[in-house]
Amino acid sequence: MANYAIILAAGKGTRMKSDLPKVLHKVAGITMLEHVKRAVDAMEPAKTVTIVGHKAELVQSVLEGQSDFALQSEQLGTGHAVMMAEAALAGLEGQTLVIAGDTPLITGESLKNLINFHVSHKNVATILTAQADNPFGYGRIIRNADGEVIKIVEQKDANDFEKQVKEINTGTYLFDNKRLFEALKDINTDNAQGEYYLTDVISIFRQAGEKVGAYILRDFDESLGVNDRIALATAESVMRKRINAYHMLNGVTFTNPEATYIDVDVEIGAEALIEANVVLKGKTSIGERTVVTNGSRLRDAQIAADVVITNSDIEESIVENGVTVGPYAHIRPGSVLKKDVHVGNFVEVKGSTLGENTKAGHLTYIGNATVGSNVNFGAGTITVNYDGQNKYPTIVGNNVFIGSNSTIIAPVEVGDNALLAAGSVTTKNVPADAVAIGRCRQENKEGYAKRLPHHPDKK
Ligand code: UD1
Ligand code: CA
C-alpha cells in the first residue's frame, strides 16, 4: 500500500521568540524541517505534503522541489493544518504519516518501525509515543483498564489524574488515509486552547469502534519537540552525540567529542584525528589520517588525506594531500592548496591557487593569485589586489623565490624561476629567470650616528 506524508510546518513558534519560523531553526547545520524531511524520506512516500503558513514562502524555499505544499493561512491548530492537505490526498488509498516539523531527532528507522507496527496490527491510527520522565507540555496517552489507547489529552486540558501519565504523544502518527480525512470533519474547537486538535481524531476512531494503537519509542530523545531555545540546545546536543558516535564507529579519533561540533553532512575518513574545540560545518569533508587540531574551524572545505590543520580557519576551499596549514592561518573562499603546500603562521589566502609544494610560512596575504609549484613566499609578502573598487590578479610561475617584505601590486605576472628581491615593490611584469629589485638603494653616512641623541657618546 502506498505511503503518504504530511509535515506540519505552518506555526510561528511563539515560544522561540524569533523572527525566523520555528521549523527553520537549525540543528547541526540544517533546519529542523530538513531533519524531519530526511526521516520521512526513509519511508519512501508516494507524496509528501508540507503544511506552510507563517512566512510560508521562506519555509517553502527550504524544501522546494522535494515536497508538495498546502497553505494554512490561519493557524487554527494541528487538526486544521492536516485538513489543508485534503485536496492533495483525501481520495487516495493508503496510509499517511503525520509528523510535526519541530521534532528533528526522530529517525527514519523509527518511522519504518511505526509503519510495520501499524500494518501488522491492522490499525486505523497508530500514535508514536514515548515514556517521558517529565511529560509536562506534551499530549498524554490515555489508556483504558485493558491497556488500549482511548484518547490523547493535551497538557492544558488534562485533569490531575491525566497529568500523572508519563506516556506522551510525540506528534507523529500513522493513519488510514481516507479515514483520517473523514474523521477530521468531526473535530471541533471545544478545548482549552480553542484550536482544532489533530489528537481528537483518536477518540473519534475509538467511538466508531475502530482499532487505534500506540508504538512506543524506546529512546525518549527521539521524541523531543522543540518549542523553545532550551529544547533547541538539547536537540543540538543529542544530535552532536549521534554524529560524533557515527564518526568514531567509522574509525575517527576524537580527543573530546563533548566539545567537537560537527554538522550532519560532514564526511570524515578513517584514522583522522579531530581534537577538541574543532568546528566542522556545512559540506566539509576530511580525508583519511588528516589531523585537525584544537581551535580549527572549517566550513564547506574539502580536505584530502594526510593533511595537518593547526588552529586555523578554512572556508569553501580545496586542500590536497599532504598540505600543512597553520597555526593561525585563514584560507578564505575559492582557494586551492595543491599537494604538499605549506601555509604557516598568520597567512591569509583568498581566491587563490597555490601549486604543489609551494610555501608561504609567515605573515603573508595572497589574494586573487594563481601560483605555480615550488614557489617560496618570504615573510611579509602582500599581493596588492584591490584598488578600492576592483580586484586584480597576480600570476606567479614555477620555482619563483619571493623575498621577504615584498609588495606585489597587481595585475602582475612573474615568470618561472624569477626572484623578487626582499623589500621590493613589484609593479611591472617580471620575465622568467629575471631578478627584480624594486627598492631604494642604501646609503651609509659614516660617523653620523654619533651626532644623534640615542648615541652613548651623547648621553
Ligand atoms: C502537539 C500535540 C501534542 C504533542 C506535541 C508533540 C496537538 C493538539 N498536540 O502539541 O499532543 O505531545 O505536539 O510535540 O496536536 N502547526 C501547524 N498549524 C497549526 C498549529 C501547529 O502547522 O495551526 C504545526 C507547528 O508548526 C508545529 C507542529 O504543528 O510544527 C506542532 O505544533 P505545536 O504548536 O508545537 O504543538 P504542541 O503544542 O507541541
Ligand atoms: Ca511542539
Side-chain angles (χ1 to χ4, degrees), residues 267-274 280 283-292 298 300-309 314 317-325 335-341:
E267 294 170 11
I268 311 179
E271 308 277 11
L273 167 62
I274 311 294
L280 305 178
K283 302 259 186 248
T284 292
S285 62
I286 308 265
E288 293 179 0
R289 297 173 303 280
T290 282
V291 175
V292 185
L298 277 56
D300 300 323
Q302 283 168 254
I303 313 295
D306 301 302
V307 170
V308 179
I309 298 165
I314 304 181
S317 291
I318 297 169
V319 173
E320 295 188 356
N321 288 2
V323 167
T324 50
V325 176
S335 299
V336 180
L337 308 185
K338 301 227 180 226
K339 216 166 147 287
D340 298 326
V341 158

Side-chain angles (χ1 to χ4, degrees), residues 424-447:
S424 288
V425 178
T426 304
T427 56
K428 293 186 294 200
N429 290 349
V430 180
D433 301 313
V435 171
I437 307 177
R439 63 188 185 211
C440 300
R441 271 182 196 281
Q442 182 173 329
E443 194 181 332
N444 292 340
K445 296 186 186 295
E446 289 291 339

Side-chain angles (χ1 to χ4, degrees), residues 380-384 402-410 412 414 420-430 436-440:
T381 299
I382 308 287
T383 57
V384 181
I402 301 174
S404 291
N405 200 27
S406 283
T407 304
I408 302 170
I409 304 192
V412 155
V414 180
L420 307 189
S424 288
V425 178
T426 304
T427 56
K428 293 186 294 200
N429 290 349
V430 180
I437 307 177
R439 63 188 185 211
C440 300

Side-chain angles (χ1 to χ4, degrees), residues 1 9 23 26 37 57 60 78 87 91 133 156 158 164 169 188 215 244 277 322 345 362 383 385 399 434 446:
M1 241 200 308
V23 296
K26 288 183 177 178
K37 176 65 167 56
E57 281 176 21
Q60 212 166 313
T78 50
D133 292 337
K156 287 183 180 150
Q164 302 298 312
N169 169 25
N188 58 48
Y215 174 75
N244 293 354
N277 295 317
N345 324 256
H362 343 257
T383 57
N385 62 331
N399 310 310
E446 289 291 339

